[in-house]
Amino acid sequence: MGLAFRLKTLTVAVAALSIANFANAAGLDRSGQDITAFLQDGLYTEAVYTYINGDVTGKDASGNDIDDIAEPYDFFRYGVKADINDTFSVGILYDEPFGAAADYSGQNNFITNSDADAIVKNFTGNPNLTADLVDQNIQGLQGALTPGNPGGLSPEQLQQAQTQLIGLQAAQNLANRAGEATQVEVRTESITGILGAKFGANKEFQVYGGPVAQQVRADVKLRGSAYSTATGYTTNISADQDYGWLAGISYSKPEIALKAALTYRSEIEHEAKAFESYPLASAASAGALSSNRGDTINITTPESVNFDFQTGINPTTLATAKVRWVPWSDFAIVPSLYNEVSTINPAYRPEGLPLVSYDDDQWMVELGLAKRLAPALAVSGNIGWDSGAGNPVTSLGPIEGYYSAGLGAKYNVTENWAVSAGGKYLWFGDAKGKTPTQNIVSDFESNDGYVLGVKVSYQAQ
């Protein structure tokens, strides 16, 4: 009885140490979709803030330096769980499961030339053209192409004027993006409702499940010569909410502080509104395609499987393990205009190219130890490995997984309230960046980052 009580106390003491256990570099994974708040005993609630900062630098295909592209990224996680009786439990979880934040800077192939006149001259091959002259010529050609042909141009002259107008408009669109950088931002939010039912002689087993509401939005800018004819491309994907589900099973043995849980989350299919701007679309298609398009886009966020495990080693020490699998090889973002322009090249027919995709599935493993130093104080340490989602990988997130080491501590302010803090250092895997056309356009080596987290929790048993 004394051993069981001490192990239970230890479990309570370290339950909230998992502050920064997930900050995954594979695909768009961020929060790790943790559900351990629901697995706590009694009434439990938590609020978690996580901050991620990476140093991701490299070189482009021309050997130019690429300054740090990793934008600092933060997100929140909340959880509430309550027992209806000794059999049924309910919970609500909020997190921000997937995301990305990258911003290129410096003088490299991912930045548009800051000189609009130079862009015009390079694109048209006319050393005498300037951005102002392009604007004037466009106005003149639009006047000449007024319906009814008031200038009396021959069919050949009309065709010539139309072709010239398309080329000048492409040059104008590129010049309007002078000095801009490649950027990406993806944000998601998720709310999960869970109902659990315990069974077994000692209520040691629990099955649980429930609905998931998820919102996703994204903005992507491709700039610079690295993207060839796709330079200047922009897509804004408006926020869309759709639904999926979660299901799992857990087992507990309180006398040795053992808990194990296997959780599956379904994929979620989104149909969002997207606005695309592709400056060279009209020129590349000889006027068949517009350079701007508003359309729907289908994005399916991936399914996942999480395994969470803990067990007491002695009355003051707890061992933990986490494993996560996400099939990023099934994920793709395929805006319709970008995809259609790609089919102009016979090599990419009939499917065309996605804007973002990954080659491999993600595996993440983390092992930890927690130690109670005093009745109100516990510390923990962990090491981890993330496989990444392939190499080469999209130039919008050129990292191949990571190795990690982390530390955390929790202090029980009162019998029920506690504050936890944790940190993790990440050694990112070297990766080569590629464009959707599979061209290797960058090389990123010897990069790292860190994660910091703070949690406030309340538990009443």
Side-chain angles (χ1 to χ4, degrees):
M1 180 68 179
L3 176 62
F5 174 76
R6 292 175 71 185
L7 281 171
K8 187 175 182 181
T9 302
L10 170 64
T11 304
V12 172
V14 301
L17 287 177
S18 182
I19 302 295
N21 280 348
F22 290 98
N24 300 326
L28 302 176
D29 218 14
R30 284 298 177 267
S31 75
Q33 299 180 299
D34 185 73
I35 69 141
T36 53
F38 179 75
L39 302 176
Q40 303 308 314
D41 297 324
L43 174 64
Y44 179 81
T45 182
E46 67 177 23
V48 186
Y49 171 77
T50 302
Y51 175 83
I52 305 173
N53 197 349
D55 184 12
V56 181
T57 63
K59 292 185 178 295
D60 65 19
S62 302
N64 301 310
D65 289 336
I66 299 174
D67 298 337
D68 183 15
I69 70 168
E71 289 284 279
Y73 190 96
D74 62 355
F75 57 87
F76 288 91
R77 188 174 83 235
Y78 307 102
V80 178
K81 177 260 179 182
D83 294 329
I84 299 174
N85 51 42
D86 63 352
T87 298
F88 294 101
S89 301
V90 294
I92 298 177
L93 307 177
Y94 167 88
D95 74 340
E96 301 178 35
F98 308 115
D103 187 358
Y104 280 79
S105 60
Q107 298 294 320
N108 53 65
N109 294 343
F110 297 89
I111 310 293
T112 303
N113 192 327
S114 59
D115 186 341
D117 291 341
I119 292 174
V120 167
K121 292 172 183 178
N122 181 64
F123 179 75
T124 63
N126 185 341
N128 298 315
L129 265 185
T130 64
D132 288 340
L133 286 175
V134 165
D135 294 341
Q136 295 173 20
N137 288 343
I138 286 175
Q139 293 176 15
L141 288 168
Q142 288 174 333
L145 291 169
T146 300
N149 190 16
L153 300 178
S154 67
E156 292 79 9
Q157 289 173 322
L158 285 171
Q159 181 61 47
Q160 241 179 12
Q162 183 64 44
T163 301
Q164 187 178 3
L165 177 61
I166 291 171
L168 290 176
Q169 286 175 330
Q172 183 187 57
N173 286 336
L174 291 175
N176 288 341
R177 289 160 173 76
E180 293 185 354
T182 297
Q183 296 175 328
V184 59
E185 181 177 13
V186 179
R187 285 278 188 175
T188 61
E189 296 179 273
S190 234
I191 296 178
T192 303
I194 307 179
L195 173 65
K198 295 177 182 177
F199 62 97
N202 299 308
K203 304 289 187 182
E204 67 270 30
F205 292 98
Q206 180 178 216
V207 292
Y208 52 89
V212 180
Q214 184 184 89
Q215 185 180 91
V216 61
R217 63 178 177 84
D219 295 293
V220 178
K221 295 180 180 180
L222 305 184
R223 301 292 187 267
S225 60
Y227 297 103
S228 187
T229 56
T231 183
Y233 174 82
T234 301
T235 183
N236 303 111
I237 300 173
S238 300
D240 174 77
Q241 181 171 299
D242 226 302
Y243 304 91
W245 53 274
L246 165 153
I249 185 169
S250 66
Y251 171 79
S252 65
K253 192 172 184 179
E255 58 266 30
I256 59 171
L258 188 151
K259 287 185 179 181
L262 187 66
T263 307
Y264 172 82
R265 285 181 179 267
S266 73
E267 62 182 24
I268 298 180
E269 298 180 0
H270 294 269
E271 187 174 281
K273 296 292 185 182
F275 178 80
E276 298 174 79
S277 176
Y278 199 137
L280 299 185
S282 185
S285 63
L289 297 174
S290 170
S291 293
N292 299 296
R293 177 182 294 182
D295 202 355
T296 58
I297 181 172
N298 296 311
I299 299 176
T300 301
T301 55
E303 62 185 343
S304 65
V305 176
N306 282 15
F307 176 69
D308 295 276
F309 177 83
Q310 69 170 49
T311 187
I313 297 177
N314 60 49
T316 62
T317 307
L318 196 73
T320 61
K322 293 177 178 287
V323 179
R324 176 169 167 82
W325 170 78
V326 186
W328 284 108
S329 58
D330 296 335
F331 175 83
I333 297 177
V334 191
S336 64
L337 179 57
Y338 184 92
N339 179 259
E340 192 170 349
V341 172
S342 72
T343 62
I344 294 172
N345 186 332
Y348 306 130
R349 297 173 188 165
E351 291 87 0
L353 295 174
L355 178 62
V356 176
S357 63
Y358 299 95
D359 295 332
D360 297 338
D361 295 345
Q362 171 199 7
W363 284 93
M364 192 286 303
V365 179
E366 186 171 88
L367 304 175
L369 284 175
K371 179 75 172 179
R372 178 165 55 84
L373 302 180
L377 177 65
V379 297
S380 71
N382 58 64
I383 57 173
W385 167 78
D386 187 291
S387 68
N391 185 26
V393 69
T394 172
S395 57
L396 300 178
I399 292 171
E400 188 189 17
Y402 63 76
Y403 289 94
S404 69
L407 294 172
K410 178 189 177 186
Y411 182 75
N412 288 72
V413 180
T414 69
E415 181 181 355
N416 303 117
W417 287 96
V419 177
S420 308
K424 176 186 287 187
Y425 186 80
L426 309 172
W427 293 268
F428 295 133
D430 297 344
K432 296 185 182 297
K434 66 177 180 179
T435 62
T437 58
Q438 304 302 308
N439 292 326
I440 305 300
V441 292
S442 57
D443 190 7
F444 289 79
E445 297 181 347
S446 303
N447 291 310
D448 56 12
Y450 64 88
V451 185
L452 300 174
V454 178
K455 175 186 288 186
V456 177
S457 60
Y458 175 88
Q459 187 165 28
Q461 302 197 47

